[in-house]
Amino acid sequence: MGGLAAAGLSLAGCGPATTALDSRTPVRQWNLFTGGDGARMVQMHDAYRSEHPGIDFRPTTYLWGNPFYTKFTMGAAGGRAFDIATLHLSRLRGMGPGTLIDPVPVDVLAEFGVTENDVLPNIWDKCVVDGQLYAIPLDTHLVVTYFNRDICDSAGVLDADGELIQPTSEEEFIDLLAAVKDVTGQYGIAMDTTGAWRQFWSLYRQLGGEMTFDGELGIDDDKALRVLDLLRRICQEGLAPEVSDAPGTPANFQNEIAGLMFAGNWEITTFQDAGMNFGMQPFPGIYGEALGQGDSHAFVLPHRRTPNDAAVRAAVEYAAWMLKNSITWAKGGHVPAYLPVTESAQYNELKPQVNYREAAEKVQYDPQAWFSGSAAQLQNEANSVFAGVHNGSVTPEEALERFKRAARKLINTPEPV
């Protein structure tokens, strides 16, 4: 039994860092990529292994969202869980930089070909906490507009280049949806009403809305209500389904129940595999600048109780390799953070990815708080409350008050890390 227990610990990645049977440098990587993302990550990892025979590389994938972040926190606190992990940049400050997460040695990162000049400033700055780099950004992923070219052509809403006409006001947007609905006979646009935060935050930021949590909630009620009323109106006028979840939204678009869709750029593979004739553009600038809610996947290093320069070096080299080879990742819809990739001839040939490349320069990360970010409680509360605006069960005013109460409760909750 003792021998079996020892073998089990080794298989679980909790055994000693090196063994007498394998002199290779171990790199244990944790991530939260499943589905299409997971398949591309496996493809990249296979290529990494073939080019690094001296590395004993062992990735582990956990369920997306809270299951992963709970495991991450426990593993990092234990001190022997992984050598490098992937997380959302919006969650970085709440996951213990300086306690559970160690700084990235920028000199080592530069040695492997990645510097501040290779990443968009707005993304690099998000990786810096108290003047130190704590994350290596892999990509930007954000809500964008999908459009069925055949339906939109019949609706007369394509320009001379065959791209979707961009609305610049509420009324132009409503007219666009109505024209598309006339062709589909059902809806103009599909959007995830159970994930209403994405649409809300995109439009709220376009209006210049801020949200702060410094002891008390800071929010512009007038701007928030204007956005919620637009979302209510779209559904009330039958231009979008009142209820549509994450799986149902792309299905509605693929089945031509709607000719447009708001969704994350990672849905691209679904429609390519289906052979659809579709295009993609940034989230429309209905209230001005075309700003869209989004996030970035990034690599972080766990805090080490015992310094291990060789292990850190190997982990940083892995992250740099992933950035430099992220053209594979781009094929799944995400915009690589590494500028030499997004500015390359290879990327320029990716359609329709190249059409929303500039959206990464304006990505709107969630407001800063330990309870904010991808799969965090603030999003969950907003999604739950704002879904009622879409289906008509609550008014915009009622929804806003419920959201504010939930946000204040989170502000008064002690930070766990």
Side-chain angles (χ1 to χ4, degrees):
M1 289 180 65
L4 288 172
L9 286 172
S10 178
L11 288 172
C14 297
T18 58
T19 71
L21 299 178
D22 193 342
S23 60
R24 296 178 298 166
T25 302
V27 173
R28 306 292 185 262
Q29 195 266 355
W30 285 11
N31 66 79
L32 68 172
F33 297 118
T34 57
D37 281 353
R40 292 189 189 279
M41 184 61 65
V42 169
Q43 182 182 354
M44 294 176 72
H45 283 168
D46 286 345
Y48 171 78
R49 279 195 190 92
S50 67
E51 293 184 23
H52 297 81
I55 299 293
D56 177 20
F57 182 68
R58 298 186 186 182
T60 303
T61 300
Y62 295 99
L63 289 176
W64 189 93
N66 284 331
F68 171 79
Y69 283 110
T70 300
K71 187 73 175 179
F72 177 96
T73 303
M74 294 175 64
R80 297 182 63 188
F82 53 87
D83 296 299
I84 189 166
T86 311
L87 55 68
H88 294 96
L89 264 186
S90 63
R91 298 293 298 270
L92 177 63
R93 290 176 180 266
M95 298 305 294
T99 53
L100 298 183
I101 301 175
D102 278 350
V104 175
V106 291
D107 55 337
V108 176
L109 184 62
E111 184 180 338
F112 290 117
V114 178
T115 69
E116 180 177 356
N117 295 329
D118 296 316
V119 178
L120 288 172
N122 61 318
I123 301 174
W124 183 272
D125 290 346
K126 198 72 177 177
C127 300
V128 176
V129 179
D130 296 331
Q132 289 188 292
L133 185 71
Y134 277 95
I136 305 169
L138 174 63
D139 64 34
T140 303
H141 51 282
L142 70 171
V143 60
V144 297
T145 306
Y146 292 77
F147 63 98
N148 183 308
R149 290 188 181 277
D150 297 329
I151 291 175
C152 290
D153 185 34
S154 298
V157 294
L158 299 183
D159 62 21
D161 296 322
E163 300 299 328
L164 186 68
I165 295 173
Q166 292 298 293
T168 57
S169 69
E170 289 184 9
E171 293 308 318
E172 286 184 6
F173 183 57
I174 294 295
D175 290 345
L176 172 67
L177 300 188
V180 175
K181 178 183 177 178
D182 286 343
V183 176
T184 66
Q186 297 187 71
Y187 299 106
I189 191 168
M191 51 183 162
D192 182 4
T193 62
T194 63
W197 170 259
R198 286 198 179 102
Q199 292 88 247
F200 170 81
W201 187 244
S202 300
L203 296 169
Y204 181 72
R205 292 293 296 137
Q206 288 184 12
L207 287 169
E210 300 283 351
M211 193 176 295
T212 57
F213 310 97
D214 299 327
E216 60 183 29
L217 175 63
I219 186 171
D220 189 315
D221 286 6
D222 291 340
K223 290 182 172 64
L225 288 173
R226 184 175 179 183
V227 170
L228 291 173
D229 188 63
L230 175 62
L231 297 178
R232 176 204 59 79
R233 180 184 174 189
I234 291 169
C235 292
Q236 185 182 60
E237 296 184 11
L239 300 174
E242 292 184 354
V243 178
S244 184
D245 59 13
T249 299
N252 286 336
F253 180 69
Q254 183 175 335
N255 294 329
E256 300 188 350
I257 292 173
L260 304 173
M261 181 179 73
F262 286 155
N265 52 14
W266 54 86
E267 297 287 357
I268 185 174
T269 305
T270 300
F271 310 123
Q272 289 177 331
D273 291 345
M276 287 186 66
N277 182 20
F278 73 100
M280 296 169 68
Q281 291 181 345
F283 192 90
I286 297 172
Y287 294 126
E289 195 171 9
L291 306 178
Q293 187 273 348
D295 209 331
S296 295
H297 295 116
F299 298 108
V300 297
L301 306 174
H303 174 66
R304 292 182 179 275
R305 297 175 181 174
T306 304
N308 187 331
D309 292 342
V312 170
R313 183 179 180 83
V316 171
E317 193 277 340
Y318 155 79
W321 187 94
M322 293 292 286
L323 265 64
K324 290 187 285 186
N325 290 273
S326 56
I327 189 68
T328 300
W329 196 238
K331 294 176 182 178
H334 301 317
V335 182
Y338 191 59
L339 291 176
V341 170
T342 56
E343 295 172 353
S344 68
Q346 277 184 293
Y347 191 86
N348 285 330
E349 294 175 357
L350 291 181
K351 300 291 179 64
Q353 289 93 324
V354 70
N355 291 341
Y356 58 85
R357 171 175 51 191
E358 71 274 11
E361 301 175 16
K362 306 171 184 178
V363 60
Q364 298 301 298
Y365 293 99
D366 286 5
Q368 187 172 301
W370 69 262
F371 47 78
S372 181
S374 293
Q377 194 60 29
L378 185 72
Q379 272 196 17
N380 295 338
E381 296 288 353
N383 288 336
S384 176
V385 173
F386 294 161
V389 174
H390 285 283
N391 63 36
S393 62
V394 297
T395 66
E397 290 79 8
E398 291 169 335
L400 180 59
E401 285 306 310
R402 292 183 185 181
F403 172 73
K404 289 164 68 173
R405 286 199 299 269
R408 291 187 182 109
K409 184 176 180 179
L410 289 171
I411 291 172
N412 294 325
T413 302
E415 185 172 351
V417 178

